[in-house]
Amino acid sequence: MRILCGLFEVFRAGGLIQLYRNDRAIAAYLGLAIGDALGATVEFMTPREIAAQYGVHDTLRGGGWLRLKPGQVTDDTTMSLALGCSILAQRKVDALSAAHAFDAWMRGKPVDIGNTVRRNLLQFRKTGNPEAPYSDHDAGNGAAMRVLPIALATLGQPEETVRAASRAQAHVTHNSTLSDAACECLVFMVQDALLGADKNHLLHQYAHPLVAQHPEFKFRAVRQSSNPSGYVVDTIQAVFQSFFDTDDFRGCLIDVVNRGGDADTTGAIAGMLAGAAYGLKGIPAGWLTTLNNDTRHACKTQAKALFELGLTLQ
Ligand SMILES: [Mg+2]
């Protein structure tokens, strides 16, 4: 069973506990952005290329194929923020509103955009339908990278409500069974971590059942996932290996981004999980101060607002 709804009700009145969760909600959002900024430098590189250029890449140094400034983020963070704005404006998760928010984001000429996201948002412009057609080929990580606002806004709600909200946002661009499974697993993991669950719980409650239901996601006793592609299975394998095999925020992020490949997205998702699991105190000060000021502010503000919205929607 999820830790949850009951426990949430019991604890909900406790201000200190809310503060604790609020801290983890903010840490999850900052973790997402920091992982994105850290990973973007080495996106599309192999571990060997990263080692040759940086030794161990552990600094928010910018650069990479997008020629970013130090602490600058990419679509993983900016699409999450766009989704969060839509949820806050509507005071609920609404697919059409999310689709308009993503479309406005695309019109703003973001620094990068995934192929599946672009194709299905262009389709949305033509049809007005915020649900992309089902396709097993659309199992990229573009929906999984932006699940955090869903996790925050639906915290404590019934499981089916959470799943429906996750699918509503995901299907705007990625309508695939494997993407859905990954998104929902991540949402539940973040939610339980916000409530104080330890990693062992997350492993047995969510990661193993995901693999049992979809063996593609197997991440134990498989080759270490180096150079992970944008395929959501590759992404989750790399993220889970790094998250479960390290003991702190910094170690988790360094481990995952130095695998290269789609490192901004593996970094973003791992950073979200690690932020939720370890809280603000786990985030290295140097990374936090180098993160772009506007981004840091937006992540903090939105994390608090979505968390509070989630409380009012109980
Ligand atoms: Mg990106």
Side-chain angles (χ1 to χ4, degrees), residues 236-248:
I236 293 294
Q237 285 172 333
V239 167
F240 281 2
Q241 287 173 0
S242 295
F243 179 61
F244 289 115
D245 292 345
T246 56
D247 295 319
D248 60 17

Side-chain angles (χ1 to χ4, degrees), residues 36 40 43 65-66 73-77 111-114 145 262-265 268:
D36 180 3
E43 186 182 10
W65 74 280
L66 294 170
V73 295
T74 74
D75 54 348
D76 310 70
T77 306
V111 291
D112 66 339
I113 181 167
M145 73 186 188
D262 200 356
D264 55 328
T265 298

Side-chain angles (χ1 to χ4, degrees), residues 36-104:
D36 180 3
L38 185 69
T41 302
V42 293
E43 186 182 10
F44 300 134
M45 293 174 73
T46 65
R48 186 186 293 257
E49 288 167 345
I50 296 168
Q53 191 159 346
Y54 302 112
V56 175
H57 170 57
D58 61 1
T59 307
L60 266 65
R61 65 180 93 236
W65 74 280
L66 294 170
R67 301 183 182 197
L68 300 171
K69 298 186 181 107
Q72 187 179 356
V73 295
T74 74
D75 54 348
D76 310 70
T77 306
T78 54
M79 283 199 92
S80 296
L81 289 167
L83 173 62
C85 284
S86 140
I87 295 170
L88 290 167
Q90 299 295 317
R91 298 187 61 75
K92 65 178 179 180
V93 178
D94 178 76
L96 186 59
S97 169
H100 281 299
F102 293 149
D103 189 24

